[in-house]
Amino acid sequence: MKFQHYLERISGIQIFPFISLLIFVCFFVGVSYWAFKIHKSKIKEYENIPFN
Amino acid sequence: MHTEVFYYDNKFPKYFAIATIVWGVIGMLVGVIAAFQMVFPVLNFSEYFPYLSFGRLRPVHTNAVIFAFVGNGIFTAIYYSIPRLLKTEMWSKRLSALHFWGWQLIIVLAALTLLAGFTTGKEYAELEWPIDILITIIWVIFGFNMFGTILTRRERHLYVAIWFFIASWVTVAILHITNSMELPVSLFKSYSVYAGVQDALVQWWYGHNAVAFFLTTPYLGLMYYFLPKAADRPVYSYRLSIVHFWSIIFIYIWAGPHHLLYTALPEWAQSLGTVFSIMLILPSWGGMLNGLFTLRGAWDRVREDPILKFMVVAVTCYGMATFEGPMMSLKNVNAISHYSDWTIAHVHIGALGWNGFLTFGMLYWLFPKMFNTTLYSRKLASTHFWIGTLGIVLYAIPMYWSAFRSYFMMKSFTPTGQLEYQFMDIVQTIVPFYFIRAIGGTLFLAGVIIMIYNLWKTAQEGKFIESERAEAAPLTKQYVAPAGSLWHSIIERKPLMLLTFSLIVVSIGGIVEIVPTFLIKENIPQLTSVKPYTPLELQGRDIYIREGCYTCHSQMIRPFRYEISRYGEYSKAGEFVYDHPYQWGSKRTGPDLARIGGKYSDAWHFNHMLDPQSMSPGSIMPAYPHLFETEIIKSTTISKIHAMRRLGVPYAEGYESQCIKDMEIQADKISNNLLKENKIEIKSESEIIALIAYLQRLGTDIKLKK
């Protein structure tokens, strides 16, 4: 198996970390929003599953 | 609504728990032996046989504690908690048995093959291809059993612990398969399909995430079940645990390149690794605080209850290690910690503190439950706790000390610009620290022995409950989500969707980092002077891999003045394009060998390998007398050359018919030289000749150019 180099170079690779960070921040905000929207009674129910 | 009766099985949790303990003792014992070998090289028993040499023992230790001790610990937790959290039985007894015995078989095979020298030479993934395949099969069996259980559950919501188990399962599967891509050469020999920089990136993407998804996330699942159980109160914040879960699996996968800072890995990949490693602090500490706050208002009990003590220290160690890790990913800190004993201290805070203590806490809680009794002796458990803690302290502090000490010695220059210390000077000043570390490890192991006695007595006093009766209503087929529930509640209910989402989340990081490194030429500048290894050198390289020289030696010089003056010009990505697998190493107990070629005479290497102390008084390197007696199996050269060509190494078409001849010519030259110039008589077929050829080749491609 050989891994050829398909592209000679990639322009603007410096932006990768930035984009990745952005994706994460959006994702994080989404997840947090979700977590905090869950109704209190549901949370009570879920966290007590190990004890039922 | 009618309820159904079913039984929780305790047999397999018990089996896995016993396996955890047995392999724990063996894995730790091997670790203690290896630790003493670094003080007393005679303990390598090199004179008698090659099997217990440090380079072979160390992979046995790491594999045993990770995959055997922690692995069985994970399965204990899963087989005990999942049925109870889902109000159902494990899906299939037969699959449980296959999983249990299959995993133990893998461990036995792993230990035997590693001692015999069958290794891929990739850290934490040393097992050869037949075992890799077996692991895949057993992992799939385990997956079927787990998902079968989840799909036949009687509790709609999946408790957060299960999310961690699911994500761990799928990620470990991808990691294992991607990193184990290798081309078999014979039954127990293969070459990684990746080479050099790419191999290093894939390996550390795997290596780091083995820490993440084998040592961390499943144990977080374990924490989310057993800590509330032991404390008898629900987790501090269930919302936090949701955020914790998704962020930790998202971020962890990106952090691998922090193992390769200042190496020949492209700069942008290094930066990504650093950025995400720093961000890891947040979810990690979220999890730690969630664990510790669960005990709010119960601190008086922590003082009395050894189980809670173990768990509190475990979670605290987790917090320490996950703060330290991101710090070590900062480039300037990494310059000190990489290749040094700091890393060893860091992983042992995690392994002994987090994994070890959490496992002990779980076992102390589980045995009385399974045997329907109380713990035989709380006092002994407390003694175990204190001895274990002292063991961790005695382990870690000397390692930190030795790391800083050797760093300052390595980088100190005299006023005239010479390196102030020889490598051996440094080795000699840190050997006493190695001794204290070995004592620390011994204490930790002694604690485990106390635990075994305690659990044994507990089991004797109680009566094993093979299965526990339970009752619950089945899930209704037509479920209507309550009005106002969000889309997320769908994911929480649907395990396969949860699986898919986790898969997507963990894939993003891997793809962004790995794909460009493979596809873009700019990342690995070609060096025309770099040529494939000669057949003899290739054989020598395989001996280097077999003996695990990479456990003590790196082959990657970083661009620092103090490294260049000591080891030579810093390493370039293009130098490793034919290295299947790469051998950069991660720990420098001995000097870097990337440019050892031409530094010494053949005779020096000959004597040094036979008895390192004869050339470097006080050396802690093992001797390798067996290399002088064993002969190269020449016929293997053909299949090796063939395999390498298939992997893209440019040996001429048909070179197979020529390679043995070439090998003999080169070997004869070396042995004749040894005879003529040093009056050393050695058969040119001996393995040592091939090893010398390989060592003398290392790093010379670039020197020639100058």
Side-chain angles (χ1 to χ4, degrees):
Chain A
M1 211 188 307
K2 224 186 272 187
F3 291 103
Q4 265 111 13
H5 302 294
Y6 296 99
L7 300 166
E8 276 297 313
R9 45 183 303 113
I10 187 165
S11 50
I13 190 105
Q14 315 83 295
I15 205 163
F16 263 51
F18 181 72
I19 296 178
S20 320
L21 217 76
L22 205 71
I23 298 177
F24 175 72
V25 170
C26 297
F27 176 80
F28 182 79
V29 170
V31 169
S32 308
Y33 174 77
W34 149 18
F36 287 90
K37 281 302 265 196
I38 302 175
H39 201 273
K40 227 185 161 134
S41 62
K42 281 278 157 204
I43 289 283
K44 265 253 136 11
E45 179 194 325
Y46 296 161
E47 66 188 17
N48 278 304
I49 289 178
F51 302 98
N52 296 332
Chain B
M1 215 187 315
H2 79 288
T3 57
E4 294 171 344
V5 173
F6 55 93
Y7 296 87
Y8 296 133
D9 163 63
N10 276 341
K11 188 170 117 189
F12 284 101
K14 182 180 83 172
Y15 277 15
F16 278 118
I18 293 172
T20 308
I21 297 170
V22 171
W23 294 122
V25 169
I26 294 176
M28 291 173 207
L29 182 66
V30 173
V32 167
I33 297 173
F36 277 109
Q37 286 179 333
M38 294 181 83
V39 184
F40 308 109
V42 287
L43 293 177
N44 286 282
F45 300 108
S46 315
E47 285 163 68
Y48 309 103
F49 38 67
Y51 309 114
L52 296 185
S53 188
F54 179 86
R56 297 191 186 190
L57 221 47
R58 194 258 192 184
V60 175
H61 165 62
T62 51
N63 280 282
V65 292
I66 299 174
F67 301 111
F69 171 60
V70 173
N72 279 304
I74 295 169
F75 302 140
T76 310
I78 288 181
Y79 276 77
Y80 187 84
S81 70
I82 281 197
R84 286 166 172 83
L85 288 169
L86 299 174
K87 305 205 173 52
T88 183
E89 304 171 9
M90 266 328 266
W91 188 51
S92 155
K93 282 229 161 71
R94 187 163 300 160
L95 288 189
S96 303
L98 267 176
H99 175 200
F100 176 78
W101 292 110
W103 196 256
Q104 312 316 317
L105 174 71
I106 289 169
I107 296 168
V108 172
L109 290 177
L112 294 178
T113 52
L114 288 175
L115 291 177
F118 301 123
T119 166
T120 63
K122 293 179 52 156
E123 253 177 287
Y124 316 119
E126 281 98 347
L127 304 177
E128 267 299 352
W129 66 273
I131 305 182
D132 281 342
I133 293 175
L134 193 57
I135 293 174
T136 313
I137 295 171
I138 299 297
W139 199 253
V140 170
I141 287 176
F142 160 48
F144 266 103
N145 207 10
M146 181 162 74
F147 277 96
T149 311
I150 295 175
L151 293 174
T152 52
R153 66 195 190 276
R154 297 190 180 81
E155 166 68 57
R156 195 161 314 265
H157 178 81
L158 302 174
Y159 182 69
V160 67
I162 299 173
W163 304 12
F164 280 97
F165 297 145
I166 292 177
S168 307
W169 180 81
V170 62
T171 315
V172 168
I174 310 176
L175 293 168
H176 172 65
I177 291 172
T178 313
N179 191 45
S180 302
M181 287 298 187
E182 51 219 357
L183 185 66
V185 178
S186 62
L187 180 59
F188 276 114
K189 174 79 195 160
S190 67
Y191 290 127
S192 171
V193 300
Y194 318 107
V197 173
Q198 294 164 343
D199 197 33
L201 182 61
V202 173
Q203 159 64 23
W204 283 111
W205 169 78
Y206 162 89
H208 178 73
N209 287 305
V211 174
F213 289 90
F214 210 91
L215 299 176
T216 307
T217 53
Y219 263 55
L220 287 169
L222 193 157
M223 175 188 91
Y224 275 122
Y225 181 77
F226 286 97
L227 184 60
K229 285 298 252 188
D232 205 18
R233 55 184 58 211
V235 62
Y236 168 65
S237 164
Y238 197 77
R239 294 178 209 276
L240 180 57
S241 72
I242 294 174
V243 180
H244 174 210
F245 170 77
W246 288 105
S247 355
I248 208 162
I249 67 166
F250 188 106
I251 299 181
Y252 239 129
I253 207 90
W254 297 73
H258 69 208
H259 291 262
L260 299 167
L261 299 178
Y262 287 113
T263 65
L265 186 74
E267 213 31 68
W268 62 269
Q270 297 188 24
S271 316
L272 264 180
T274 301
V275 171
F276 276 89
S277 305
I278 308 278
M279 284 164 49
L280 253 180
I281 294 187
L282 292 174
S284 304
W285 275 51
M288 172 191 71
L289 295 176
N290 214 358
L292 289 181
F293 286 164
T294 299
L295 297 167
R296 74 201 177 287
W299 287 101
D300 47 321
R301 278 187 50 210
V302 176
R303 233 172 298 137
E304 320 238 291
D305 184 353
I307 297 175
L308 291 180
K309 273 191 217 166
F310 273 113
M311 291 187 173
V312 165
V313 171
V315 176
T316 311
C317 284
Y318 174 64
M320 278 162 55
T322 52
F323 177 73
E324 188 184 28
M327 291 305 115
M328 293 163 78
S329 313
L330 294 171
K331 274 193 132 181
N332 46 356
V333 179
N334 190 269
I336 307 175
S337 71
H338 194 48
Y339 294 135
S340 84
D341 289 320
W342 187 343
T343 310
I344 317 297
H346 171 64
V347 296
H348 282 85
I349 297 282
L352 303 176
W354 164 242
N355 296 114
F357 271 27
L358 203 53
T359 310
F360 304 151
M362 171 179 81
L363 293 172
Y364 280 125
W365 185 84
L366 209 52
F367 267 72
K369 285 274 178 302
M370 291 194 301
F371 287 87
N372 195 23
T373 176
T374 49
L375 190 60
Y376 167 70
S377 163
R378 283 186 150 210
K379 203 153 164 241
L380 277 182
S382 266
T383 313
H384 174 195
F385 171 79
W386 288 112
I387 289 191
T389 309
L390 183 64
I392 297 177
V393 171
L394 279 187
Y395 190 109
I397 291 179
M399 290 287 96
Y400 288 117
W401 200 302
S402 118
F404 279 93
R405 196 181 169 97
S406 56
Y407 171 70
F408 288 117
M409 289 178 82
M410 288 281 184
K411 64 170 272 184
S412 89
F413 286 90
T414 62
T416 54
Q418 307 287 315
L419 284 167
E420 190 167 354
Y421 299 101
Q422 297 294 310
F423 196 90
M424 263 317 295
D425 300 336
I426 303 168
V427 170
Q428 267 162 346
T429 67
I430 59 181
V431 165
F433 297 105
Y434 285 164
F435 184 69
I436 306 174
R437 178 264 296 268
I439 301 286
T442 310
L443 281 180
F444 193 86
L445 179 58
V448 176
I449 306 290
I450 296 177
M451 175 183 79
I452 293 176
Y453 174 73
N454 204 352
L455 295 180
W456 177 262
K457 282 290 197 187
T458 307
Q460 272 190 333
E461 288 190 350
K463 187 172 170 336
F464 182 60
I465 310 173
E466 177 131 357
S467 59
E468 285 170 40
R469 188 174 184 283
E471 254 177 69
L475 290 184
T476 44
K477 282 256 157 48
Q478 274 92 28
Y479 175 74
V480 188
S485 62
L486 295 158
W487 55 271
H488 62 76
S489 60
I490 306 176
I491 304 182
E492 283 157 24
R493 288 197 312 267
K494 301 240 155 137
L496 293 178
M497 199 135 59
L498 188 73
L499 175 83
T500 319
F501 267 89
S502 316
L503 183 64
I504 295 172
V505 168
V506 296
S507 307
I508 301 175
I511 291 170
V512 172
E513 278 172 358
I514 294 177
V515 173
T517 318
F518 278 78
L519 296 188
I520 299 148
K521 196 165 174 183
E522 180 189 41
N523 281 324
I524 304 169
Q526 303 284 315
L527 300 169
T528 43
S529 58
V530 174
K531 297 276 179 293
Y533 295 106
T534 66
L536 187 68
E537 290 158 7
L538 191 62
Q539 290 284 11
R541 189 168 202 273
D542 284 341
I543 296 167
Y544 186 94
I545 293 170
R546 184 187 73 198
E547 299 304 333
C549 309
Y550 69 89
T551 57
C552 284
H553 289 287
S554 58
Q555 289 188 16
M556 169 52 61
I557 303 167
R558 298 178 295 174
F560 301 135
R561 175 174 170 227
Y562 59 89
E563 293 215 348
I564 295 171
S565 330
R566 192 178 294 279
Y567 305 124
E569 178 62 13
Y570 71 88
S571 300
K572 317 282 190 293
E575 288 182 80
F576 305 99
V577 287
Y578 304 129
D579 285 10
H580 296 269
Y582 84 116
Q583 288 287 290
W584 294 357
S586 64
K587 173 74 203 327
R588 277 182 193 151
T589 301
D592 188 278
L593 297 180
R595 303 213 186 281
I596 190 72
K599 181 176 171 187
Y600 300 111
S601 67
D602 291 353
W604 189 92
H605 284 299
F606 184 96
N607 291 321
H608 183 251
M609 295 307 295
L610 190 59
D611 178 12
Q613 276 131 341
S614 68
M615 304 316 276
S616 308
S619 174
I620 52 172
M621 175 163 145
Y624 291 92
H626 64 280
L627 300 182
F628 298 73
E629 282 148 29
T630 340
E631 293 184 5
I632 294 275
I633 305 168
K634 287 186 190 171
S635 58
T636 59
T637 318
I638 297 175
S639 46
K640 288 181 178 181
I641 293 283
H642 185 71
M644 282 295 182
R645 176 162 352 81
R646 285 187 55 197
L647 294 172
V649 180
Y651 290 111
E653 211 53 58
Y655 185 58
E656 285 86 338
S657 59
Q658 167 101 40
C659 62
I660 295 189
K661 187 124 205 77
D662 279 4
M663 188 166 91
E664 286 167 348
I665 295 172
Q666 192 183 2
D668 286 344
K669 207 167 125 203
I670 296 175
S671 63
N672 286 341
N673 243 344
L674 282 171
L675 183 64
K676 224 169 36 215
E677 290 179 11
N678 309 89
K679 306 212 165 35
I680 293 175
E681 257 185 83
I682 182 83
K683 277 218 251 159
S684 66
E685 288 81 12
S686 324
E687 291 192 324
I688 184 66
I689 298 289
L691 185 62
I692 291 176
Y694 171 64
L695 292 173
Q696 294 292 29
R697 165 68 186 274
L698 279 175
T700 51
D701 284 337
I702 284 198
K703 268 189 226 160
L704 287 175
K705 206 175 63 175
K706 271 205 217 148

